[in-house]
Amino acid sequence: MRNTDEHALQAEFDRRVAAEEKIEPTDWMPDDYRKNLIRQMSQHAHSEIIGMQPEGNWITRAPSLRRKAILLAKVQDEGGHGLYLYSATETLGITRSEMIEALQTRKAKYASIFNYPTLTWADIGAVGWLVDGAAIVNQIALQRTSYGPYARAMIRICKEESFHQRQGYELMLEMAKGSPQQKQMAQDALNRFWWPSLMMFGPHDGDSAHSSKSMQWKIKRESNDTLRQRFIDQTVPQIEVLGLEMPDPEIKWNETRGHYDSGEINWDEFYKVINGNGPCNHQRIKHHVKAHQDGEWVREAVRAYRAKQARKKDERAA
Ligand code: 3HC
């Protein structure tokens, strides 16, 4: 049985969430709210970091200096997003090493999309346009999430994601309006990245384990299906401008709904990927583990520096 103090704290928390006031790290919050935020935010951070791999893979093969500079900047931005999000998650009482361990031991997930390979240069366009495009649709809503540090991180991240989406679309436009072979590459990239991009929004609302609590706490502001439909509605006209074929033959404007209808996602594939058996899951984690091990000397140097500073402080105090 909870005591009166805890009831009062819970009532105050509920009032603040209802009044759209941000919950801050030192505020009281229910344990399940904290746990759910740690889960979502750390998975989000892991997605940003793992997402550097499929694009980083093309930096040395970018076809011009301009394209290379853009791609370098984008991949660095993703690294920065991961770092803001890890820092924001640390304010909830989990350490960076605990989060990294959860990723590397596959206890924590990361966005399914990054388990697909980037096979051609056109894939870099498709990733910027579709993957970052889907991420923005989701993250604009998260700018209003109830946890202050997460909401504030999202504001900056969305600005950068917007540049990422535009550079991807510009690249696709150049390919789609280029030679027949380039147009074919653009079509192929669209066909392969369309469905995994729709999967980024998660299971249908009825199958989403965390949605109802997350919506009640205003961690999530809109449902998986609402955001997915918004992405489809905004992307279909962009496909038309590119002059490419629709990646799904069932895409059709529905006058009554005022939205595009579309085909069903292959949910078996989705669950296979999120449970560790997609085309690149093994490769992505293996690469992360190696990069982390290669960076051990940096962490060691930081620890040594901190120890030295602490010794100096003690000496001064003595
Ligand atoms: N990929 C991997 N796992 C997914 C997923 C996806 N596309 N969609 C859902 N899942 C997982 C959930 O994490 C959950 O697993 P868990 O219980 O082990 O944590 C399970 O499937 C059930 O799904 P739910 O719908 O119940 O999960 P959520 O309520 O958390 O909704 C979400 C899923 C919409 C992805 C939500 O977590 C969210 O909005 N997260 C923040 C945004 C985010 O993580 N974006 C990553 C995109 S990539 C990115 O931003 C990088 C950029 O550079 C492109």
Side-chain angles (χ1 to χ4, degrees):
M1 191 74 165
R2 291 194 301 176
N3 63 30
T4 331
D5 280 356
E6 201 171 330
H7 277 298
L9 290 166
Q10 176 76 52
E12 175 60 5
F13 172 86
D14 293 342
R15 183 201 65 74
R16 292 183 60 189
V17 170
E20 300 287 334
E21 285 174 27
K22 297 291 175 222
I23 305 300
E24 297 297 339
T26 50
D27 294 337
W28 184 91
M29 59 187 87
D31 273 352
D32 286 351
Y33 175 86
R34 185 187 299 276
K35 276 193 209 134
N36 198 15
L37 267 177
I38 291 177
R39 179 194 64 81
Q40 176 170 324
M41 290 170 65
S42 64
Q43 293 187 173
H44 192 166
H46 299 325
S47 305
E48 302 279 357
I49 298 295
I50 296 288
M52 295 168 79
Q53 292 186 38
E55 290 184 291
N57 173 39
W58 278 91
I59 291 173
T60 52
R61 291 177 285 164
S64 69
L65 186 59
R66 176 174 174 269
R67 289 287 175 203
K68 191 181 179 113
I70 294 172
L71 187 57
L72 263 173
K74 177 184 189 303
V75 173
Q76 285 177 349
D77 283 352
E78 308 299 4
H81 298 174
L83 299 184
Y84 306 147
L85 289 168
Y86 281 132
S87 298
T89 315
E90 281 174 308
T91 65
L92 290 157
I94 183 169
T95 65
R96 183 87 56 103
S97 5
E98 285 168 328
M99 288 187 262
I100 302 290
E101 198 195 327
L103 168 69
Q104 294 187 344
T105 54
R106 296 166 171 79
K107 283 191 201 108
K109 296 186 171 70
Y110 57 87
S112 48
I113 187 81
F114 300 122
N115 291 306
Y116 291 84
T118 42
L119 302 176
T120 73
W121 175 248
D123 289 7
I124 296 303
V127 168
W129 168 40
L130 299 173
V131 176
D132 290 73
I136 298 173
V137 169
N138 174 290
Q139 291 171 9
I140 282 177
L142 289 176
Q143 293 180 126
R144 292 184 296 114
T145 192
S146 55
Y147 188 55
Y150 195 19
R152 290 189 287 274
M154 277 303 124
I155 293 170
R156 172 147 183 199
I157 290 177
C158 279
K159 286 186 183 146
E160 292 177 348
E161 298 291 14
S162 169
F163 149 66
H164 299 169
Q165 193 272 350
R166 278 155 201 233
Q167 66 80 36
Y169 192 66
E170 192 229 6
L171 198 164
M172 286 301 275
L173 202 55
E174 208 168 296
M175 301 285 288
K177 304 291 176 196
S179 67
Q181 288 90 339
Q182 286 174 317
K183 185 171 182 184
Q184 185 46 45
M185 281 168 74
Q187 182 70 58
D188 174 55
L190 166 60
N191 294 348
R192 281 182 292 106
F193 276 90
W194 176 254
W195 294 104
S197 300
L198 297 188
M199 292 176 195
M200 285 175 69
F201 295 94
H204 280 313
D205 294 348
D207 300 323
S208 164
H210 304 287
S211 275
S212 92
K213 270 288 176 194
S214 292
M215 299 280 280
Q216 180 193 328
W217 284 321
K218 298 189 180 169
I219 292 174
K220 276 168 88 165
R221 302 306 307 248
E222 291 187 89
S223 81
N224 296 1
D225 285 327
T226 305
L227 294 171
R228 185 172 12 247
Q229 182 70 61
R230 185 169 305 149
F231 173 73
I232 294 172
D233 290 345
Q234 82 179 29
T235 308
V236 169
Q238 294 170 355
I239 300 175
E240 286 165 354
V241 171
L242 292 174
L244 297 177
E245 304 276 327
M246 289 299 152
D248 165 8
E250 291 182 47
I251 289 178
K252 197 165 173 270
W253 179 250
N254 182 324
E255 199 62 54
T256 323
R257 290 199 314 124
H259 292 291
Y260 285 96
D261 288 338
S262 57
E264 190 52 285
I265 288 170
N266 179 343
W267 293 108
D268 288 344
E269 177 180 323
F270 170 79
Y271 285 109
K272 206 168 126 192
V273 175
I274 70 168
N275 289 321
N277 299 311
C280 300
N281 296 60
H282 180 67
Q283 178 188 333
R284 298 290 185 240
I285 294 296
K286 195 170 153 210
H287 184 88
H288 190 278
V289 169
K290 180 175 183 314
H292 193 64
Q293 282 167 353
D294 290 349
E296 180 55 30
W297 69 273
V298 179
R299 292 187 292 280
E300 211 175 294
V302 171
R303 282 193 295 271
Y305 177 76
R306 281 195 190 141
K308 190 175 157 195
Q309 294 300 99
R311 268 198 312 275
K312 274 191 185 165
K313 201 174 159 201
D314 287 349
E315 280 163 19
R316 276 198 302 271

